[in-house]
Amino acid sequence: MTSIGSLACVGIGMTLGSHISPRARSHIEQADVVFAGMSDGIVELWLKEMNQDVRSLQPYYQEGKSRMKTYREMVAAIMAEVRAGKRVCGVFYGHPGVFAWVPHKAIATARAEAYPAHMEPGISSEDCLYADLGLDPGARGCQHYEASQFMLYRRCIDPSAWLILWQIGVAGDKSLKRFSTGAAHRQVLVEVLARDYPLDHQAIIYRAATLPFQSPRIERVALAALPQAEVGMADTLAIPPARPLEADAEVRAKLAALT
């Protein structure tokens, strides 16, 4: 009897060994093939303790190579094993559905070809940010954008809520070939932010801890100083509210009339 391939894309959270769920671990242990999209080689070694056939996706990355081409090659490698009748598990740090094109595309491709495929959530950098910064998104509201998208398109920003910009280390990159951009690109980002925020407004450069002995990066910096700050691909910019909430008298009056 020919076995039918399947795909599970799971998240193992941000911090090594601390965030993995029992379901994610079970998928890893029971898979015929595991593809690992990790941010650290130590994490790949840890995965190999759970499954003998762990294949790193990192070699697909190359300086000067379009990340979209890299991502398509990753999906092709994953699907080749699914089509060969294997139980395949794609393992990704954080949440496999957050800032992760490959898991979404691989699952969509597998389902389109009638293979069982699903996603198992994980603790994301966003979850860690809320905990590490003591930020409750329900208190003032929270807006999330990828930094380059935020720069390239006009968005309606509410400065009375938090603004979270992801991947500021590659802010302004349209080529998808860079692993970092420089101070000049971040200066353009600051100019965009200056439409809604004063330049002396304090923001937070944040990076979640990925190893148990690490501490998260929580560095406060004025927006004007952001271009000179040292940032990497894993860094996030969290901008606190710059103005108070504005009451809507008209809506309040309508609600009051209902009581």
Side-chain angles (χ1 to χ4, degrees):
M1 178 178 178
T2 303
S3 59
I4 299 175
S6 64
L7 174 63
C9 289
V10 308
I12 60 167
M14 297 303 298
T15 304
L16 172 62
S18 303
H19 294 164
I20 187 171
S21 70
R23 284 176 61 91
R25 180 183 289 273
S26 176
H27 280 297
I28 295 168
E29 292 175 341
Q30 295 178 21
D32 298 315
V33 181
V34 173
F35 287 94
M38 300 292 103
S39 59
D40 195 299
I42 296 175
V43 183
E44 290 186 7
L45 293 175
W46 173 69
L47 283 177
K48 290 178 180 178
E49 296 178 358
M50 288 182 263
N51 193 294
Q52 292 184 340
D53 192 353
V54 174
R55 306 178 190 181
S56 175
L57 292 172
Q58 287 302 314
Y60 289 95
Y61 288 107
Q62 293 178 16
E63 190 70 41
K65 177 182 177 183
S66 169
R67 287 195 295 279
M68 187 52 62
K69 181 178 180 182
T70 294
Y71 298 155
R72 293 187 187 283
E73 289 174 351
M74 290 177 178
V75 172
I78 291 170
M79 286 305 304
E81 296 299 330
V82 173
R83 293 172 184 132
K86 304 286 185 64
R87 290 177 299 177
V88 178
C89 182
V91 185
F92 302 87
Y93 69 92
H95 190 302
V98 178
F99 288 95
W101 189 89
V102 171
H104 282 294
K105 184 62 175 179
I107 288 174
T109 302
R111 288 175 175 172
E113 298 179 17
Y115 294 105
H118 81 283
M119 181 178 289
E120 192 66 36
I123 294 175
S124 68
S125 183
E126 177 186 347
D127 301 310
C128 296
L129 181 147
Y130 292 147
D132 292 333
L133 300 187
L135 191 169
D136 181 354
R140 294 288 295 269
C142 199
Q143 308 153 99
H144 295 263
Y145 299 98
E146 193 275 333
S148 293
Q149 185 192 84
F150 174 79
M151 297 167 69
L152 294 168
Y153 298 91
R154 286 192 170 271
R155 312 305 296 255
C156 295
I157 300 304
D158 179 5
S160 69
W162 280 82
L163 174 62
I164 312 297
L165 297 179
W166 300 94
Q167 298 180 334
I168 59 169
V170 289
D173 176 40
K174 293 178 64 178
S175 70
L176 295 179
K177 294 181 180 180
R178 299 184 182 188
F179 292 103
S180 65
T181 51
H185 289 78
R186 289 195 296 279
Q187 180 59 45
V188 176
L189 172 59
V190 169
E191 292 169 6
V192 175
L193 290 168
R195 297 170 180 168
D196 297 288
Y197 298 90
L199 290 177
D200 61 355
H201 189 62
Q202 293 286 308
I204 302 168
I205 300 174
Y206 173 78
R207 183 192 308 148
T210 56
L211 298 174
F213 55 81
Q214 292 178 337
S215 296
R217 179 184 185 183
I218 302 175
E219 180 180 343
R220 287 170 172 81
V221 60
L223 289 178
L226 180 62
Q228 286 70 48
E230 187 175 322
V231 298
M233 204 166 180
D235 288 316
T236 299
L237 189 68
I239 305 177
R243 65 176 64 161
L245 293 169
E246 182 179 349
D248 190 322
E250 182 182 351
V251 171
R252 287 178 178 232
K254 289 181 178 179
L255 292 173
L258 297 176
T259 58

